[in-house]
Amino acid sequence: MTEADKPKKASAVAQARRQFLLDSARMACGVGLLGIGIGLYAKQAKALPPLALRPPGASAEKDFLGACVRCGLCVRDCPYDILSLAKPEEPVATGTPYFVARQLPCEMCDDIPCVKACPTGALDHKLTDINKAKMGLAVLVDHENCLNYLGLRCDICHRVCPVIDKAITLEQQLNPRTGKHALFIPVVHADACTGCGKCEKACPLPVAAIKVYPTELARGEPGKHYRLGWVEKEKAGGSLVAPDLEHRYNLPEGLRYESGRGFVPGSDAAPAVPGTQPAAPTALQGGKL
Amino acid sequence: MSIGAEAVAAKGWLGAHKWLLARRVSQFGILTLFLLGPLAGIWIVKGNLTFSYTLDVLPLTDPYILLQSLLTRHLPEMKAFVGAAIVLAFYLLVGGRVFCSWVCPVNLVTDAASWLRERIGIKGGAHVSRATRYWILAMTLVLALATGTLAWELVNPVSMFHRGVIFGIGAAWAVILAVFLFDLFVMKDGWCGHLCPAGAFYSLLGKVSLVRTAAVKRAACNDCMDCFAVCPEPQVIRPALKGIDGAGPVILAANCTNCGRCIDVCSKDVFAFGTRFGNKAENISSQAQNMAPATCK
């Protein structure tokens, strides 16, 4: 190579480097654009539509969409053929398994073959008792059309429930319309409801008054700092706040109060002798609250 | 003269199509195995190409989808790993992109487009680098990592088609039609040869896989160019056939799909299947060496 060739070679290298960078930029931008499109679509697809339910043992939707490889083995091993894989035009993430309770509810097989079939654990193999499944949560959405709310004894959702009297109970109330009849209100209990969808399937109305929704749609959540006094009291075996003092009444002389009887003649209950009762928290002993 | 006419004249129609026929038997055979269950109730294979379970003993997992699933930070059950290990071992043996030419159902569609393109004489089209597939492969992996979901599976024509044939096609036919028309009118070998990230993934196995196509009798090549015309990845042929830079006769390029079409269409039987070993440069390169001093003079 002569001295004169050197700058030529250097410029060829620079040219090649320039071309490489340009090609890379072209690819990164073009493919990146495609990726952003698919990424945004994937974000949309994370929202499971309210009427589609996942098979038993499915993890939360966002985890499920990474774990499920869309192989369809759960579909194949379901003895009642309730599951199907979502087609691209359906509002469920393409290829993932789901069922629609109003069409065909889960029959809650004891051996849970769909979960056993799953090769990836998208359906959690730790689920061995179908009564612990959480496919969704039944919600009595339409109080105005539910026949039991109207005062009839439909009770169908209650009677078809595989976890009868635990997942759905009938709570008796006075019928305020007639003033003398009873209402038997179906009440769903989230701790026992598996979300199988039998109630929704069986509701005799043209459009079901009780529906099974994915749990995250159906459920509220109490504030993290909320404590239910009566629960805490039971856990602790006694009041945590004020001592359980007998209520004292400031009654006229010669009267006292007896539970169930009301005011009765006689002197008031013996006043508490200091020292015999547990000490009240300082806040209640005249301190500032 | 049309592609392969010389080979048909020399070897007969069957001799000039035997690997093509074998490949079609493989592709339709695999589809049939998957369809026997849902259509005839004979359950030899359950599932689809992402995961299948054969005779309730043999798990087979697509390692590409398993990789995406791992990137979403899900740890699958052991069965999925075993299935992926078997599939990886198989393609490391027979050639990475053997998946593309012998198994994948989309190949039937793109081969049909390619055939029709040739038949009605469509030339040219859009130019995109064949390396695009690696960028798309990277994009799908980044998507899995970033979204925590198998985002590519929402739109992947390969799994959508295979799943659709077995579980109900829905609107996936439109996607497959789009791939067909794209290959026909927009880009020759566009999907399989330029864009498909699954093919790109399997080509990575092809870098080290054992069974290779080789131009064993390359000295007999009469430059009829039929192998280049018929090959879906023609860039892989030249180094091995022409001994570029002293290359041996074995096609080591990762994107050779081992489809065997070059073997079929060669009237001189230049090509044959072999292994990647014993790739010694002889014939042509020695000729080239002999010629080299002559040109210097």
Side-chain angles (χ1 to χ4, degrees), chain A residues 24 27 31 34-35 38-39 41-42 46 62 65-71 73 76-77 85 87 89 94-95 119-121 125, chain B residues 38 43 46-48 50-51 69 72 74 76-77 80 129 132 135 139 143 147-150 154 163 166-168 170-171:
Chain A
S24 301
M27 284 293 168
V31 173
L34 180 68
I38 299 171
Y41 175 43
K46 272 189 206 174
K62 66 176 174 45
L65 292 179
C68 171
V69 297
R70 290 88 158 136
C71 69
L73 286 194
R76 291 296 180 228
D77 281 11
L85 294 185
K87 300 188 174 82
E89 71 275 21
T94 308
T120 66
H125 288 210
Chain B
W43 292 103
K46 273 184 199 168
N48 59 43
T50 57
F51 178 88
S69 188
T72 71
H74 170 75
E77 297 280 320
S129 158
T132 308
W135 288 85
M139 181 266 283
L143 270 182
T147 66
T149 72
L150 300 177
L154 295 173
R163 187 169 52 236
I166 297 162
F167 288 89

Side-chain angles (χ1 to χ4, degrees), chain B residues 6-91:
Chain B
E6 239 180 281
V8 172
K11 305 191 279 190
W13 191 89
L14 209 60
H17 291 86
K18 60 177 193 288
W19 288 109
L20 180 65
L21 290 174
R23 221 151 53 76
R24 295 291 178 249
V25 167
S26 163
Q27 290 166 327
F28 282 110
I30 289 166
L31 275 180
T32 306
L33 280 177
F34 277 104
L35 281 170
L36 273 180
L39 294 186
I42 303 166
W43 292 103
I44 298 168
V45 184
K46 273 184 199 168
N48 59 43
L49 284 181
T50 57
F51 178 88
S52 67
Y53 208 34
T54 303
L55 296 170
D56 286 335
V57 285
L58 175 68
L60 296 172
T61 314
D62 176 7
Y64 172 45
I65 202 164
L66 188 76
L67 175 62
Q68 290 175 70
S69 188
L70 285 170
L71 287 173
T72 71
R73 292 170 289 278
H74 170 75
L75 190 66
E77 297 280 320
M78 190 44 83
K79 202 194 265 180
F81 283 106
V82 172
I86 294 171
V87 170
L88 282 173
F90 178 75
Y91 287 117

